[in-house]
Amino acid sequence: MKTWQILLYGKMFLDFLLQFFNSDNEIRTKAEESISQLLQHDPKSFCTNLFLILQNSTQLPPVVIRFALLLLKKIYKRASIACQSGSDSFSYRLISLEETQNMIPLIISFFGNSSIDIQNESSYLLGQISIYFVLQPLEKSNIELLLLLITN
């Protein structure tokens, strides 16, 4: 995918998330249903787009940032359950460790946000990511990497 396509898709995704906060009940209900479907059937793409939103958080309302953090926490909760199950049928829920490692410094940066809600959601997300990391068939060096990412 070309850069302009990624940016366009990211903008469409952001518009879609903003519909969740629309005062029109019909629009909001459709957004809720769509988000539920994406969480269920394509968590990897959803995760990538949420990460892009967090990377551009300075241009977004705090409610969107908080919502993105909350949705990522749900994705990692489901991915953790998929790890625990050991079933290949849930493998689509797994998020790559590389993508997860890239996300950790950004999540930690939200600890300094002026909104206590964003601080809380980012800490809850980091906790869920830590659980996901621990459930992976990791070598000791990978767990040390997680600790290093958290402490830097």
Side-chain angles (χ1 to χ4, degrees):
M1 204 180 276
K2 297 181 187 219
T3 303
W4 69 268
Q5 290 172 311
I6 293 170
L7 292 173
L8 177 62
Y9 183 69
K11 169 81 170 99
M12 290 173 14
F13 184 78
L14 176 59
D15 291 343
F16 164 72
L17 280 184
L18 288 171
Q19 290 176 0
F20 189 83
F21 301 101
N22 195 303
S23 59
D24 183 326
N25 193 38
E26 187 176 330
I27 292 172
R28 192 176 56 253
T29 300
K30 286 180 183 177
E32 290 170 1
E33 290 169 2
S34 297
I35 287 171
S36 179
Q37 289 295 315
L38 281 171
L39 279 170
Q40 183 71 25
H41 300 291
D42 195 8
K44 291 178 186 179
S45 296
F46 199 52
C47 183
T48 300
N49 281 291
L50 290 170
F51 185 48
L52 288 171
I53 284 174
L54 293 179
Q55 287 176 321
N56 296 291
S57 63
T58 57
Q59 303 160 11
L60 300 172
V63 68
V64 172
I65 299 164
R66 184 171 178 239
F67 190 48
L69 291 165
L70 174 76
L71 291 171
L72 280 167
K73 184 179 73 170
K74 286 185 177 197
I75 289 169
Y76 277 96
K77 173 79 173 166
R78 291 177 180 199
S80 297
I81 291 168
C83 279
Q84 287 176 316
S85 76
S87 171
D88 288 341
S89 64
F90 292 117
S91 63
Y92 70 94
R93 291 185 177 175
L94 301 178
I95 309 301
S96 79
L97 290 180
E98 182 179 342
E99 187 173 359
T100 301
Q101 290 170 3
N102 292 335
M103 218 182 284
I104 290 174
L106 179 61
I107 294 165
I108 290 172
S109 74
F110 288 109
F111 289 179
N113 192 286
S114 60
S115 166
I116 191 73
D117 291 332
I118 290 175
Q119 292 173 14
N120 287 341
E121 286 301 333
S122 59
S123 65
Y124 300 146
L125 173 56
L126 185 61
Q128 189 59 57
I129 286 174
S130 298
I131 292 168
Y132 182 66
F133 242 86
V134 170
L135 292 172
Q136 298 294 316
L138 301 173
E139 297 177 18
K140 184 178 179 182
S141 62
N142 287 339
I143 292 176
E144 290 171 354
L145 174 64
L146 173 64
L147 293 173
L148 182 64
L149 287 168
I150 291 173
T151 58
N152 283 336

